Amino acid sequence: MDFDTVAGELYGGDLAEFVSARTKAVKAAKAAGDAELAKRIQQLRKPTTAAAIVNGLARDDSDQLSELAELGTELREAHTRLAGDDLRALTRRRGELVRRILHELPSMSDTVSREVEATLEAVAADPDTAALALAGRLTSVAHQDTDQWFSLAASAPTATGKRPAKLVEKAEPARPKRDHRREEREAEDRAKARAERERLRKETAEREKERATAERDLVRTERAAEQATARVDDLRERLAEAEERAERATAAFQAAKAAFDEADAAAAAARKAADAAR
């Protein structure tokens, strides 16, 4: 028995049987005298439903999951280079790939579907999450503010103050007379649109923060439940052993009592015979 084999079996098995299978593996490690392995196995966390689904993609050698992880690397590189066009194209590819993966998965509830989508986006956003997903060892998604660089794909590159080369090289036609009122209205519309985007961004960030808090609470309570279940299993095992010892003690007592009764009867008979012989 080794840790990687056990972890692979646990994360590749039935999610509903995870806790009981982990408990059996811990007991087996203890029985083999490997306390350190038993401790490491006990610390393996049960994956969320969404994480288990993504782990399943890794076990099926999904090319799309690998493509999503590679796409995340390309997005981070494009962000470092401030390549606006590349960011927009890569972000569109990311969205299309996530939707394609979701479409090919078995039917699931809306809640689970949203969680799987968030998990897939995290695979593209975070290299550590991608590594765990590709190894089939993902337990949950650590939500981060990925909008910091994904959102750049929806905006134009920062202005440099220089005119594009093509416009410099070519003579420009005479421009029509400016419509100041229309420009003012367009400026107001752009300002309103920016304000709305900012409001939605803040609202989304707040909702993501609340979701992250709820997930931490879920993981914490799930861990507590798992520990309680393991404790109950241990107590049941001890109870079974105690009951077995009690049954053996009762049987021994009954045998001793029968022997005593037989010896007592023999002694009484001997005394009676002795008295009659006088």
Side-chain angles (χ1 to χ4, degrees):
M1 174 184 289
D2 63 85
F3 179 76
D4 285 334
T5 300
V6 173
E9 291 175 351
L10 287 176
Y11 287 108
D14 187 349
L15 182 61
E17 301 296 330
F18 183 91
V19 175
S20 59
R22 184 184 60 191
T23 300
K24 291 179 181 177
V26 169
K27 291 180 179 178
K30 288 180 178 178
D34 196 337
E36 182 61 27
L37 176 60
K39 181 179 179 181
R40 291 184 67 190
I41 295 173
Q42 185 64 58
Q43 290 174 343
L44 290 174
R45 289 187 173 182
K46 179 181 178 181
T48 62
T49 301
I53 291 173
V54 175
N55 288 338
L57 293 173
R59 289 194 302 276
D60 294 338
D61 295 325
S62 170
D63 293 335
Q64 292 178 332
L65 188 62
S66 299
E67 181 182 351
L68 187 62
E70 293 172 0
L71 190 58
T73 301
E74 294 180 28
L75 274 163
R76 288 187 289 276
E77 291 175 352
H79 174 254
T80 301
R81 292 184 285 104
L82 296 178
D85 290 341
D86 290 345
L87 279 171
R88 283 189 287 273
L90 289 169
T91 299
R92 283 194 297 271
R93 281 180 54 196
R94 175 185 63 88
E96 292 169 357
L97 181 55
V98 168
R99 287 192 292 273
R100 189 161 67 248
I101 294 173
L102 288 171
H103 179 72
E104 294 178 1
L105 287 172
S107 178
M108 65 189 83
S109 68
D110 290 342
T111 300
V112 173
S113 179
R114 286 193 296 270
E115 291 177 355
V116 172
E117 182 178 4
T119 303
L120 292 172
E121 290 178 349
V123 169
D126 179 53
D128 292 335
T129 302
L132 286 172
L134 291 174
R137 304 288 175 83
L138 197 62
T139 57
S140 63
V141 177
H143 293 282
Q144 299 177 11
D145 188 10
T146 56
D147 287 341
Q148 287 183 354
W149 55 278
F150 274 141
S151 62
L152 288 177
S155 60
T158 305
T160 61
K162 298 180 180 179
R163 296 173 65 189
K166 290 183 179 180
L167 294 182
V168 173
E169 293 172 359
K170 297 181 179 180
E172 295 180 349
R175 294 183 179 180
K177 187 176 179 179
R178 295 174 62 181
D179 186 339
H180 293 287
R181 289 187 177 179
R182 187 185 67 183
E183 291 179 357
E184 289 176 359
R185 288 195 300 270
E186 291 176 349
E188 290 177 359
D189 291 341
R190 287 194 296 271
K192 290 179 180 178
R194 283 195 299 271
E196 179 63 14
R197 286 196 298 271
E198 179 64 16
R199 184 188 69 79
L200 292 173
R201 187 192 67 79
K202 290 181 178 179
E203 182 178 345
T204 300
E206 185 63 26
R207 296 295 175 269
E208 287 295 336
K209 183 177 179 181
E210 292 173 357
R211 191 178 189 279
T213 299
E215 183 178 32
R216 285 195 297 271
D217 291 342
L218 173 63
V219 172
R220 185 178 65 255
T221 54
E222 184 178 46
R223 180 64 173 169
E226 291 174 2
Q227 291 174 343
T229 299
R231 178 61 175 163
V232 168
D233 290 342
D234 184 56
L235 290 174
R236 283 175 177 166
E237 184 176 350
R238 293 185 184 183
L239 176 60
E241 292 174 355
E243 289 176 343
E244 184 178 350
R245 288 195 299 271
E247 289 177 359
R248 289 197 299 268
T250 299
F253 167 74
Q254 291 174 347
K257 185 176 183 303
F260 170 77
D261 290 342
E262 184 178 350
D264 185 51
R271 285 195 301 271
K272 184 176 181 180
D275 290 343
R278 290 179 183 176

